Amino acid sequence: MKSGYFPVTTKFICYFKTALPFDVYLERFEGKFIKIYHKNGEHDPSQIYRFENKNISTLYISAEDKNAYGQFLSRTIDMFNHGASVLDKEKMIDVIQTSLELTFERITEQNDELDSNIQWASQQIQSSLRLMEDDLTSAIEIFKALSEDAQLLKHSYLVSLFSLALAKKLNFSNERNLMGIGLGALFHDIGHTRINAEIFKKVHLNPKEWEEVKDHPQLGLRIIDHSKGIPSDVRSIILQHHEQPNGRGYPNRLSGNKIFPPAKIVCIADGFCSLVSKASYRETIFSTDQAISMMREDIGHYDAEFLDAFVQVIAGDKKKCA
Ligand SMILES: [Fe+2]
Ligand SMILES: [Fe+2]
């Protein structure tokens, strides 16, 4: 980051045709920034477009506006899910990617080890997906279903990265295991695509709606069953990612060692990612510290040993005994 400003591509900023809740700057010459757009539409955002026409590929946002920028991207993803965004799917994928990068930055701040773990996890996912290209129909069908829901796609990718980072910490080094965990996490909530989308926008669910949500592991399994070439580990993760060691999870109330270990990993990453990033039904985004302590207080929900390892992944050794 250059002295309090971070770069954004001009092309990306030009995706948005509405008023922006952050100022946009141009680097006039080395270290000298001038404001070319005033937040909240004091000026017409079309002023920015002329810089793209002049082949200026990079613009800047002040570090002070980083949260506003992140929230704006999350809202854009929400709007896409509500059918209220004018962006096409390709642009939305860019928005998700940028929003993910901001979320990682927030979580990995001052933690170089986690940062490099996440980079490693991202490469793992890419290579797992490449391996799946042998069974192209499966990959395309599942991705088509996932990308219908921008919020779900972002959540799935985030859970996959953190699941792999935890698997690495737990010394899951076998390539087949890692591929199963990466893909299992990526597709863990695929069953959501078979549930009425309105349910996921609600803050409070009635008992009938809640039962419907709890069907998503089996619904996911049914989707995967149509796709040959999906490793069996992926199936177990989809089915068991809401099971809890205390036996209070769903769908089968499995307890302790009966739960497939990679499903316990995904359960932890899922819990964490849901707390630290924006969900349609909740405005609050918890800090990593708040999320970790909430998960620790939820005794029996998560595998205690795996959760300890996850705390080390997220916060480094200093938090181990906290
Ligand atoms: Fe789930
Ligand atoms: Fe999830």
Side-chain angles (χ1 to χ4, degrees):
M1 192 165 65
K2 286 189 171 196
S3 54
Y5 298 88
F6 63 93
V8 284
T9 62
T10 311
K11 188 172 157 234
F12 184 73
I13 291 296
C14 288
Y15 286 176
F16 308 105
K17 311 289 182 203
T18 52
L20 306 170
F22 46 84
D23 297 327
V24 180
Y25 295 80
L26 170 73
E27 188 176 27
R28 197 58 176 272
F29 48 87
E30 188 65 34
K32 176 74 186 159
F33 296 87
I34 56 160
K35 198 182 283 186
I36 58 161
Y37 173 76
H38 291 258
K39 66 181 84 172
N40 297 322
E42 286 171 32
H43 294 286
D44 183 351
S46 66
Q47 284 184 312
I48 296 173
Y49 309 148
R50 69 193 159 99
F51 290 99
E52 196 187 19
N53 296 336
K54 284 184 189 167
N55 287 332
I56 292 171
S57 59
T58 307
L59 294 172
Y60 292 84
I61 296 174
S62 153
E64 285 167 19
D65 277 346
K66 204 167 202 172
N67 279 346
Y69 177 56
Q71 282 162 11
F72 171 75
L73 296 182
S74 292
R75 272 199 307 277
T76 306
I77 295 173
D78 260 357
M79 280 168 67
F80 184 78
N81 272 15
H82 287 69
S85 169
V86 292
L87 296 188
D88 61 33
K89 234 184 239 174
E90 223 168 277
K91 288 178 178 160
M92 189 48 61
I93 299 280
D94 278 353
V95 174
I96 293 170
Q97 184 69 36
T98 311
S99 172
L100 273 168
E101 281 163 15
L102 286 176
T103 307
F104 296 148
E105 255 180 56
R106 187 159 45 82
I107 298 170
T108 60
E109 218 174 34
Q110 295 168 343
N111 186 344
D112 293 345
E113 195 186 336
L114 178 59
D115 195 33
S116 69
N117 272 345
I118 292 292
Q119 307 284 354
W120 168 86
S122 175
Q123 285 158 12
Q124 283 291 324
I125 296 173
Q126 309 298 340
S127 52
S128 299
L129 289 172
R130 268 196 300 278
L131 283 174
M132 256 188 62
E133 278 172 11
D134 291 344
D135 188 358
L136 212 58
T137 330
S138 309
I140 290 173
E141 273 185 12
I142 297 169
F143 270 102
K144 235 167 82 188
L146 262 188
S147 61
E148 288 300 317
D149 183 332
Q151 196 68 260
L152 178 63
L153 185 62
K154 181 187 167 191
H155 169 72
S156 305
Y157 200 70
L158 205 56
V159 172
S160 190
L161 290 175
F162 282 94
S163 297
L164 281 166
L166 174 56
K168 191 176 179 219
K169 185 78 183 170
L170 292 168
N171 295 323
F172 281 73
S173 52
N174 176 300
E175 197 183 326
R176 203 182 140 269
N177 280 340
L178 291 173
M179 180 184 164
I181 292 168
L183 293 181
L186 197 57
F187 301 148
H188 74 283
D189 275 340
I190 191 75
H192 280 207
T193 60
R194 293 285 165 88
I195 295 173
N196 181 353
E198 293 305 310
I199 288 186
F200 295 106
K201 294 170 195 164
K202 289 189 167 182
V203 179
H204 299 292
L205 299 181
N206 64 38
K208 192 175 160 277
E209 289 164 336
W210 180 229
E211 284 309 313
E212 217 177 309
V213 168
K214 281 163 69 179
D215 271 343
H216 77 270
Q218 290 107 320
L219 290 171
L221 204 59
R222 254 177 259 163
I223 294 172
I224 295 292
D225 271 341
H226 293 300
S227 314
K228 296 174 192 74
I230 302 275
S232 62
D233 288 9
V234 173
R235 292 162 203 273
S236 306
I237 289 171
I238 291 173
L239 187 63
Q240 296 183 19
H241 73 276
H242 284 292
E243 298 290 357
Q244 301 177 14
N246 58 15
R248 293 196 202 135
Y250 61 88
N252 294 317
R253 300 178 73 92
L254 299 178
S255 60
N257 293 337
K258 302 224 170 64
I259 307 171
F260 184 49
K264 291 180 180 176
I265 290 178
V266 175
C267 177
I268 288 174
D270 187 29
F272 177 75
C273 294
S274 302
L275 292 168
V276 299
S277 57
K278 167 99 175 58
S280 343
Y281 55 86
R282 171 170 42 77
E283 275 302 320
T284 323
I285 298 175
F286 296 101
S287 69
T288 52
D289 284 353
Q290 285 171 323
I292 291 291
S293 56
M294 286 160 88
M295 290 171 78
R296 283 200 141 155
E297 280 163 22
D298 200 352
I299 292 164
H301 187 143
Y302 304 101
D303 182 283
E305 203 184 308
F306 285 10
L307 186 57
D308 265 349
F310 189 68
V311 175
Q312 289 178 49
V313 167
I314 296 300
D317 284 334
K318 65 181 186 328
K319 291 280 170 73
K320 194 181 174 187
C321 305

